């Protein structure tokens, strides 16, 4: 299985980003229970790959640590920064992509609260839901109502409710008072 993680955590300045990097490394040293599911320890690999570029903490392009179904690892890392530094104006965007699914995490920390929004695409991100019969675009994902019946404009095939649900994103929001 091929998967990548793109991580950008933005702090107010380079000094704060450097402190946050040390917090991340300290938390990664402890590892996570899901690390046992991998042949090569993702916490150790990420610990060695993280770097600061200006005000941002990042990883090299096309790095893969955790699959999209494990956003809790990244949320725990963000909670560690917020708890340890209590710095306002933390912003994060984390993208997790694999062969068959995708997730994105957006986070902010301000006024003592870490807010996260996780969007999980069980069949990967797509702009349109396609016809299984001819491959034509049936409906834009943003406009899709799973309670409505859709027909392919090209061949007239009815799109199954199961097909629609395969592509609908699962969105989870959370707030953590730090």
């Amino acid at each position: 299985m091929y998967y990548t993680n793109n991580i950008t955590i933005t702090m107010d300045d380079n000094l704060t980003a450097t402190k946050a990097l040390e917090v991340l490394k300290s938390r990664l040293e402890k590892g996570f229970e899901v690390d046992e599911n991998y042949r090569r320890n993702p916490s150790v690999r990420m610990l060695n790959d993280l770097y600061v570029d200006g005000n941002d903490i990042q990883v090299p392009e096309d790095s893969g640590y955790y699959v999209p179904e494990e956003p809790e690892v990244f949320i725990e890392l963000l909670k560690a920064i917020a708890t340890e530094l209590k710095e306002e104006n933390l912003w994060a965007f984390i993208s997790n992509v694999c062969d068959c699914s995708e997730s994105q995490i957006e986070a902010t920390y301000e006024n003592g609260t870490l807010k996260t929004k996780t969007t999980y695409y069980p069949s990967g991100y797509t702009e349109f839901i396609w016809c299984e019969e001819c491959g034509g675009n049936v409906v834009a994902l943003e406009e899709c109502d799973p309670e409505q019946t859709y027909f392919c404009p090209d061949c007239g095939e009815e799109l199954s409710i199961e097909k629609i649900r395969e592509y609908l994103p699962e969105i989870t929001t959370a707030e953590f008072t730090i």
Side-chain angles (χ1 to χ4, degrees), residues 88-158:
E88 299 297 316
N89 303 321
L90 173 149
W91 176 86
F93 182 78
I94 301 166
S95 173
N96 310 302
V97 179
C98 79
D99 297 336
C100 55
S101 63
E102 186 171 337
S103 67
Q104 299 171 346
I105 302 165
E106 298 173 61
T108 58
Y109 177 73
E110 53 191 6
N111 300 323
T113 303
L114 176 66
K115 296 178 183 179
T116 63
K117 176 183 173 187
T118 303
T119 306
Y120 174 64
Y121 299 92
S123 294
Y125 175 78
T126 183
E127 291 185 36
F128 291 92
I129 298 177
W130 306 289
C131 174
E132 294 174 317
E133 189 67 28
C134 73
N137 291 337
V138 177
V139 63
L141 188 62
E142 289 180 356
E143 300 167 5
C144 184
D145 176 359
E147 304 306 317
Q148 188 173 338
T149 302
Y150 293 97
F151 295 91
C152 177
D154 297 332
C155 72
E157 182 74 18
E158 181 178 347

Side-chain angles (χ1 to χ4, degrees), residues 59-101:
V59 293
E61 193 172 319
D62 294 328
S63 297
Y65 309 103
Y66 296 96
V67 294
E69 291 76 14
E70 297 168 339
E72 66 276 358
V73 169
F74 298 103
I75 292 172
E76 284 301 314
L77 292 171
L78 295 169
K79 285 167 66 175
I81 294 171
T83 301
E84 191 73 27
L85 299 182
K86 296 192 181 355
E87 290 289 333
E88 299 297 316
N89 303 321
L90 173 149
W91 176 86
F93 182 78
I94 301 166
S95 173
N96 310 302
V97 179
C98 79
D99 297 336
C100 55
S101 63

Side-chain angles (χ1 to χ4, degrees), residues 121-124 132 160-169:
Y121 299 92
S123 294
E132 294 174 317
S160 71
I161 191 69
E162 293 82 24
K163 180 71 172 174
I164 292 172
R165 291 179 199 246
E166 263 179 46
Y167 286 94
L168 291 177

